[in-house]
Amino acid sequence: MSSDVVTAVELTKRYRGKDTPAVDGISFDIAQGETVGLLGPNGAGKTTLMKMICGVTPPTTGRIRVFGADPVHEPVAAKNGIGAMHQSGPYDEMLSALDNLQIAARFRGVSWRAVRPWAMEVAEYLGLAEALPQLVFQLSGGQRQRLQMVRALLTIPRLLILDEPSAGLDVAGRHEVEKFVRWLRDERGVTVLWTSHHIDEIERNCQRVLVINRGKVLRFAHPRELVREYGGAHLLVSVEDAVAGKVVLEWAESAGYTAAVDNLEVRIEDAQVREVLPELARYCQDSAVAITGVGTVTDSLEQVFLRMTENRG
């Protein structure tokens, strides 16, 4: 029996009245205990894909299995192990945050008395415990986001779906959430599917990244592998004045490189020190200008993502 938590084979979803499918022949698998990032521009098919995993919408063709079960035709087997934290969720605004958690427990068919100690522990860790008696409409955006997390984790899920988990959180709050999710994965074996516009979150926390665009999979690989495959190394040349910067820029462009000057630093795209420096040094010496430093920088996952999805049909 496969240990994969999610398996998709040639998964396609078409909506009536749309010329192109929202999801178009996607195949992938997510292993037990793995944290997978889901990246794609707006309209790429991320939301539709997550809806099919949760059994909210059926595929038009293809096959999706969660814990080996069909989310539409075997909802109990497929959905019981899922915890989902959405960007926004229905609350009764005139009830307290605590009352909303109790309602969520009843809705999920679990005893509040049984799950309360764990829910309070999660709320305490996320800095929400003192706000639980407040009415929901009084909560800040960050507190609402933390409440979403607590609600998703009333029980420890086998699969945790995070849809923009850091929306509305400050930097410290983001790192608290990340640390907690890593603990769930490492100590409790929770599998995580994580989508976020903060691509640095994905780069820090995910073992593999599923990049989709226009309903198709572009690549499914480790972040470092994506950077190595689609990214580049760029040369940063520090100069002592604007005149020297202009000279370095002129040389780079004459050599066929794309370059730009920012203050007293020239960035030469897709250039290696070994192949550039000897010729550049001679040119600067002949021009009677000095280079004060040379370094390299590699693309981030965010830059790689933009490069992968730009103008892809």
Side-chain angles (χ1 to χ4, degrees):
M1 184 176 178
S2 173
S3 62
D4 291 334
V5 171
V6 181
T7 302
V9 180
E10 293 297 320
L11 195 62
T12 297
K13 179 65 181 182
R14 293 181 178 274
Y15 289 108
R16 187 177 301 171
K18 299 292 184 180
D19 294 332
T20 58
V23 170
D24 191 2
I26 283 181
S27 297
F28 66 91
D29 53 67
I30 300 175
Q32 172 67 40
E34 187 176 24
T35 300
V36 168
L38 178 59
L39 290 181
N42 291 336
K46 302 189 300 295
T47 300
T48 297
L49 178 57
M50 288 191 290
K51 284 181 177 179
M52 286 191 285
I53 291 173
C54 292
V56 175
T57 186
T60 305
T61 59
R63 180 166 61 90
I64 180 78
R65 295 291 183 268
V66 180
F67 313 122
D70 185 319
V72 175
H73 299 105
E74 303 169 279
V76 175
K79 296 180 183 181
N80 270 358
I82 296 178
M85 178 184 177
H86 302 290
Q87 293 185 53
S88 59
Y91 292 119
D92 189 321
E93 300 278 338
M94 298 307 295
L95 292 179
S96 70
L98 186 60
D99 287 337
N100 274 271
L101 290 178
Q102 292 173 329
I103 291 169
R106 288 199 296 271
F107 181 77
R108 292 178 61 174
V110 296
S111 162
W112 172 247
R113 179 177 295 180
V115 301
R116 184 182 185 280
W118 166 248
M120 293 300 101
E121 185 177 339
V122 176
E124 182 70 36
Y125 179 84
L126 295 176
L128 185 67
E130 293 185 1
L132 289 178
Q134 295 182 28
L135 301 181
V136 168
F137 83 87
Q138 297 175 312
L139 300 180
S140 68
Q143 288 171 326
R144 284 171 176 254
Q145 196 70 357
R146 290 177 172 87
L147 183 59
Q148 287 273 34
M149 175 69 87
V150 178
R151 185 163 65 175
L153 292 169
L154 286 175
T155 59
I156 299 176
R158 295 169 64 193
L159 171 64
L160 176 60
I161 297 176
L162 300 175
D163 186 7
E164 302 292 343
S166 63
L169 299 180
D170 58 17
V171 173
R174 286 174 58 190
H175 283 274
E176 284 176 0
V177 167
E178 290 177 34
K179 182 179 178 181
F180 186 58
V181 173
R182 286 195 298 269
W183 179 85
L184 287 169
R185 180 191 68 196
D186 297 340
E187 299 299 325
R188 297 301 184 102
V190 176
T191 304
V192 183
L193 178 60
W194 190 323
T195 181
S196 176
H197 284 102
H198 294 290
I199 299 179
D200 58 313
E201 286 180 359
I202 304 295
E203 190 167 18
R204 282 193 299 270
N205 297 289
C206 296
Q207 293 143 320
R208 287 195 293 169
V209 180
L210 181 65
V211 184
I212 66 174
N213 192 24
R214 300 179 187 272
K216 295 181 178 292
V217 172
L218 300 184
R219 198 71 169 84
F220 191 19
H222 191 283
R224 284 196 299 271
E225 188 176 341
L226 293 175
V227 169
R228 186 167 57 247
E229 187 173 339
Y230 293 92
H234 315 292
L235 195 65
L236 298 179
V237 181
S238 300
V239 294
E240 61 183 8
D241 55 38
V243 173
K246 184 178 180 181
V247 169
V248 173
L249 180 65
E250 288 174 349
W251 176 86
E253 292 177 341
S254 69
Y257 293 101
T258 299
V261 180
D262 184 8
N263 200 6
L264 294 179
E265 190 171 70
V266 184
R267 178 185 172 107
I268 304 176
E269 303 291 336
D270 298 316
Q272 301 285 344
V273 173
R274 193 173 300 174
E275 67 186 26
V276 168
L277 192 56
E279 187 65 30
L280 175 59
R282 282 194 295 271
Y283 187 86
C284 289
Q285 186 175 15
D286 292 343
S287 303
V289 300
I291 295 173
T292 59
V294 177
T296 58
V297 62
T298 57
D299 284 330
S300 66
L301 181 61
E302 181 172 1
Q303 291 165 321
V304 165
F305 168 71
L306 292 172
R307 182 176 295 181
M308 291 178 69
T309 55
E310 187 177 21
N311 300 321
R312 291 293 293 259

